[in-house]
Amino acid sequence: MKPYDYHVFVCTCPTCSKKEAESILLAFRQKVEKRGLLDKVKVTRTGCLSSGECMYGPLVVVYPQGVWYRLVTANEVDEIVEKHLAGGQLVSKLLHFKLS
Amino acid sequence: MKPYDYHVFVCTCPTCSKKEAESILLAFRQKVEKRGLLDKVKVTRTGCLSSGECMYGPLVVVYPQGVWYRLVTANEVDEIVEKHLAGGQLVSKLLHFKLS
């Protein structure tokens, strides 16, 4: 396995999927590929990421940094990919929690 | 959301599920609870963690440390919980990859 910079987990639990979880997952996969980041970024579907927190979902968590985003829509995936995954900066307006 | 120490992701893709992925996921949830680690450890089910790597599975990855374990069986979950999640030490014999 080769080193990578980011592992993005997209919650597709029933609560998050009632909103746009599936579109968000697809958008991440498409944008990461389009932006040429496949070697640096993994994108993975998950079951419920955090019991009790998905009311704020759809939730997305980026490791190893431990950055949780909430209320993500497919339209905002571009910004997370461009600013965070390509540029290394948090998207503050979508921040839910950051592991210290 | 409260801080936590470990987020364990268990791959339950078709390849990993042909082996013991579902039993491993259940074992992690049971052992983490039994060991009183629910406040410190999250356990989440995932789709395919890493295309091409699941031939070495079942795969388990622990973040934010970026420690990947492979060939995990339900019998070995106790050791990962006790040594790594409770004790903070890697289980070297199951190590697949460590993100630097």
Side-chain angles (χ1 to χ4, degrees):
Chain A
M1 178 177 273
K2 295 177 183 172
Y4 53 89
D5 293 336
Y6 301 103
H7 198 159
V8 178
F9 293 92
V10 179
C11 188
T12 59
C13 79
T15 302
C16 289
S17 290
K18 277 183 191 165
K19 302 178 209 171
E20 293 191 35
E22 291 293 336
S23 304
I24 290 164
L25 177 66
L26 183 62
F28 267 113
R29 289 185 168 153
Q30 289 176 335
K31 305 297 181 190
V32 163
E33 182 171 7
K34 192 175 178 183
R35 193 60 173 72
L37 296 171
L38 282 176
D39 286 345
K40 297 185 172 181
V41 180
K42 295 179 185 295
V43 179
T44 298
R45 164 199 299 278
T46 76
C48 192
L49 268 175
S50 191
S51 175
E53 301 286 329
C54 289
M55 60 184 284
Y56 302 110
L59 292 180
V60 170
V61 57
V62 181
Y63 281 113
Q65 296 78 13
V67 174
W68 292 70
Y69 290 118
R70 70 176 174 181
L71 295 171
V72 178
T73 69
N75 288 334
E76 291 160 331
V77 171
D78 263 352
E79 191 171 352
I80 295 177
V81 172
E82 200 58 42
K83 191 169 176 183
H84 191 158
L85 306 183
Q89 296 185 350
L90 297 191
V91 181
S92 304
K93 68 179 180 183
L94 301 174
L95 192 65
H96 178 58
F97 177 78
K98 186 173 185 323
L99 194 62
S100 57
Chain B
M1 179 177 275
K2 294 178 184 173
Y4 53 89
D5 293 336
Y6 301 103
H7 198 158
V8 178
F9 293 92
V10 179
C11 189
T12 58
C13 79
T15 301
C16 289
S17 289
K18 277 184 192 165
K19 302 177 209 172
E20 293 191 35
E22 291 293 336
S23 304
I24 290 163
L25 177 66
L26 183 63
F28 267 113
R29 289 184 169 153
Q30 290 175 336
K31 305 295 181 191
V32 163
E33 182 171 6
K34 193 174 177 184
R35 193 59 173 75
L37 296 170
L38 283 176
D39 286 345
K40 296 186 171 180
V41 179
K42 295 180 184 296
V43 179
T44 297
R45 165 198 298 279
T46 76
C48 191
L49 268 175
S50 190
S51 175
E53 301 286 330
C54 289
M55 59 185 284
Y56 303 110
L59 292 179
V60 170
V61 57
V62 181
Y63 282 114
Q65 295 78 13
V67 174
W68 292 69
Y69 290 117
R70 70 175 175 182
L71 295 172
V72 178
T73 69
N75 287 334
E76 290 160 332
V77 170
D78 263 352
E79 190 171 354
I80 295 176
V81 172
E82 202 57 41
K83 191 168 176 185
H84 190 158
L85 307 182
Q89 297 185 349
L90 297 191
V91 181
S92 304
K93 68 179 182 184
L94 300 174
L95 193 65
H96 178 57
F97 177 77
K98 185 174 187 320
L99 195 62
S100 58

